[in-house]
């Protein structure tokens, strides 16, 4: 095992996140309605979310210093999201407010088995404008830049290009899945995809860890340095040049799978930034995600480093 992962005093991870901020409207119900049908929900909650916000919180709760670049509306939801991030120690200096545009919203329907269905209204996320000089200054001091696909394509490309100039490695979670331009692949240090995203990018059905490894190697061939394919209850496969490892997930009770992937990514990135090897960071991240799915909500369910350690 990498010696840095057992240190009682790991170096402080510094992570920048460019991504979405949403207020999650969470409906708990016995089953989702069929077309034209109305069903009664058991509960309704408003909870902080958005992939960018979730991943920033996951990094912060694992001890990273996090700077978030995002956008909210000049409304109550926007203020609530910023306050929640600040309570977790996330810097919101570069979270802009846009008058006349609502904060992003996600309506999440959660069934008794923990599976969910999500509909996202981008709102202010669609109008995100990156302050390039500020981003470059932050990236010059960061171990990693984390990106997802809940912000405009132009913003993701701009962030990738700034990271290249700053010499900051990029972790990309291409969710929700959409086409990745060929020029982007070599700019990505670590690609984190679930089995559906891996299949979409490679055309390979992902039905086993072996198939996941094969798909990951196909993605490595495009220029990515390391690839992690998450497989839900099965665990995850980590592949880099010359090495591949499968890490099973513990069997746990599922309450809500919302933010499980974001928790995984944040925990993994923080450990990588502290100096852990990929094969050591991934099982830690699986444990974090396993705790996440045992609680309801997005950010409220993200565990701390101490909870994962315990």
């Amino acid at each position: 095992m990498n010696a840095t992962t057992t240190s009682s005093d790991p170096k402080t991870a510094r992570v920048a996140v460019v991504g979405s901020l949403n207020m999650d409207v969470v409906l708990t119900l016995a089953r989702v309605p069929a077309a034209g049908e109305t069903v009664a929900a058991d509960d309704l909650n408003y909870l902080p979310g958005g992939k960018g916000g979730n991943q920033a919180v996951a990094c912060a709760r694992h001890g990273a210093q996090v700077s978030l670049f995002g956008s909210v509306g000049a409304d109550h939801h926007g203020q609530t999201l910023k306050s929640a991030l600040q309570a977790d120690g996330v810097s919101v200096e570069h979270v802009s407010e846009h008058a006349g545009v609502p904060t992003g919203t996600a309506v999440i329907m959660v069934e008794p088995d923990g599976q969910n269905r999500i509909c996202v209204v981008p709102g202010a996320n669609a109008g995100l404008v990156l302050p390039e000089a500020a981003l470059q200054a932050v990236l010059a001091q960061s171990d990693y830049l984390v990106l997802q696909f809940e912000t405009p394509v132009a913003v993701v490309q701009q962030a990738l290009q700034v990271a290249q100039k700053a010499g900051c490695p990029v972790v990309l979670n291409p969710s929700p899945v959409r086409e990745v331009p060929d020029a982007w692949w070599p700019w990505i240090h670590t690609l984190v995809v679930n089995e559906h995203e891996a299949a979409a990018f490679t055309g390979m059905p992902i039905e086993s860890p072996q198939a996941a490894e094969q798909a990951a190697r196909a993605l490595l061939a495009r220029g990515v340095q390391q690839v992690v394919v998450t497989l839900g209850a099965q665990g995850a496969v980590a592949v880099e040049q010359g090495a591949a490892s499968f890490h099973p997930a513990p069997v746990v009770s599922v309450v809500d799978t919302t933010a499980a992937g974001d928790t995984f990514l944040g925990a993994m990135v923080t450990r990588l930034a502290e100096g852990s090897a990929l094969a050591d960071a991934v099982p830690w991240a699986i444990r974090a995600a396993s705790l996440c799915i045992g609680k309801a909500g997005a950010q409220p369910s993200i565990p701390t480093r101490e909870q994962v350690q315990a």
Side-chain angles (χ1 to χ4, degrees), residues 70-247:
S71 178
V72 295
D75 52 25
H76 176 69
H77 284 168
Q79 291 302 315
T80 300
L81 294 181
K82 290 176 68 174
S83 296
L85 290 163
Q86 289 176 305
D88 270 302
V90 176
S91 170
V92 296
E93 177 184 357
H94 303 296
V95 174
S96 57
E97 294 185 5
H98 291 255
V101 181
T103 295
T105 305
V107 178
I108 304 172
M109 293 181 285
V110 183
E111 296 179 283
D113 63 358
Q115 293 301 312
N116 58 47
R117 288 167 171 79
I118 303 175
C119 182
V120 177
V121 181
N125 294 306
L128 174 59
V129 176
L130 283 180
E132 189 163 313
L135 178 60
Q136 185 154 353
V138 169
L139 293 185
Q141 304 296 321
S142 298
D143 298 300
Y144 285 97
L145 167 65
V146 173
L147 298 171
Q148 341 73 31
F149 279 174
E150 284 189 344
T151 54
V153 173
V155 169
V156 178
Q157 176 158 312
Q158 182 186 10
L160 284 164
Q161 292 170 330
V162 174
Q164 284 290 299
K165 294 177 186 176
C168 182
V170 172
V171 178
L172 175 66
N173 173 216
S175 177
V177 67
R178 65 186 183 216
E179 184 179 357
V180 172
D182 290 341
W184 289 14
W185 294 110
W187 299 344
I188 302 164
H189 180 276
T190 304
L191 183 73
V192 181
V193 289
N194 63 26
E195 65 269 41
H196 308 295
E197 293 153 358
F201 287 128
T202 64
M204 302 176 182
I206 311 299
E207 298 173 347
S208 67
Q210 293 76 20
E213 179 183 341
Q214 184 180 7
R217 292 197 181 282
L219 293 165
L220 282 183
R222 300 182 189 182
V224 180
Q225 294 189 36
Q226 50 194 34
V227 178
V228 177
V229 182
T230 59
L231 301 170
Q234 289 188 74
V237 171
V239 181
E240 50 195 318
Q241 297 295 344
S245 52
F246 169 61
H247 305 277

Side-chain angles (χ1 to χ4, degrees), residues 242-258:
S245 52
F246 169 61
H247 305 277
V251 178
V252 295
S253 298
V254 179
V255 174
D256 181 2
T257 58
T258 307

Side-chain angles (χ1 to χ4, degrees), residues 13-17 55-57 59-60 64-68 89-92:
R14 300 178 187 275
V15 179
V17 179
Q55 292 171 4
V57 167
C59 291
Q65 292 185 3
V66 185
S67 295
L68 176 61
V90 176
S91 170
V92 296

